[in-house]
Amino acid sequence: IVTGAIFLAGSIYVIAESLRLRYYDSLAPGPGFFPFWLGVTIALLDVVWLYQVWRQGAGGKSESFFPNRSGVVRVAAIIFALALSTALLGTLGYRITRLAFLFFMLAVLGRQNLVITTAVAFFGSFGIHYAFNAWLGVSLPSASIDVLNNLGL
């Protein structure tokens, strides 16, 4: 409950501070748009979380807080994948890096169906890149390797 209260207070602070920024510009959402809705979303989810904790009462699960060996390996793999994808983003570009990252996360760590994994990884990399370029007018990093850059990646 204490953690939930801290998160709720933090989200209320984010909402209050976002109201000091412009919500909408003449062309697009302003700098206050994203933090406002992020704060609202976190506050709503936190209220649901606090309600669930309150209903559960003091008789929570008695499992250990720390993960077992396989859990530690999974957490380390996620951190390594995030670090590697961040390091390769400028070289391989957004689409290739995100495709490999999503495929790894879903196939190795999530153990999902290969068809679903491939589809989600493809649309999560190429689809997001297209959405940012075409709809939002925001450029995501392209590959700095000539071969990949010549292919439009």
Side-chain angles (χ1 to χ4, degrees), residues 20-33:
R20 298 172 68 189
L21 302 170
R22 283 189 323 269
Y23 181 75
Y24 202 81
D25 247 337
S26 61
L27 297 175
F33 181 84

Side-chain angles (χ1 to χ4, degrees), residues 86-123:
T86 302
L88 294 175
L89 191 62
T91 306
L92 297 178
Y94 179 84
R95 290 172 277 197
I96 299 295
T97 304
R98 190 59 48 203
L99 178 70
F101 175 76
L102 289 173
F103 192 83
F104 172 77
M105 294 296 287
L106 293 171
V108 175
L109 299 176
R111 296 181 187 95
Q112 299 294 323
N113 179 331
L114 189 59
V115 174
I116 293 172
T117 297
T118 304
V120 169
F122 180 79
F123 288 114

Side-chain angles (χ1 to χ4, degrees), residues 44-111:
L44 290 174
L45 291 173
D46 191 58
V47 168
V48 171
W49 181 34
L50 282 170
Y51 176 74
Q52 290 174 344
V53 169
W54 175 73
R55 271 197 81 192
Q56 183 180 9
K61 295 180 181 178
S62 62
E63 297 174 7
S64 173
F65 175 76
F66 296 102
N68 58 14
R69 187 177 193 288
S70 68
V72 171
V73 170
R74 290 170 64 95
V75 169
I78 292 169
I79 293 170
F80 177 74
L82 281 169
L84 185 63
S85 68
T86 302
L88 294 175
L89 191 62
T91 306
L92 297 178
Y94 179 84
R95 290 172 277 197
I96 299 295
T97 304
R98 190 59 48 203
L99 178 70
F101 175 76
L102 289 173
F103 192 83
F104 172 77
M105 294 296 287
L106 293 171
V108 175
L109 299 176
R111 296 181 187 95

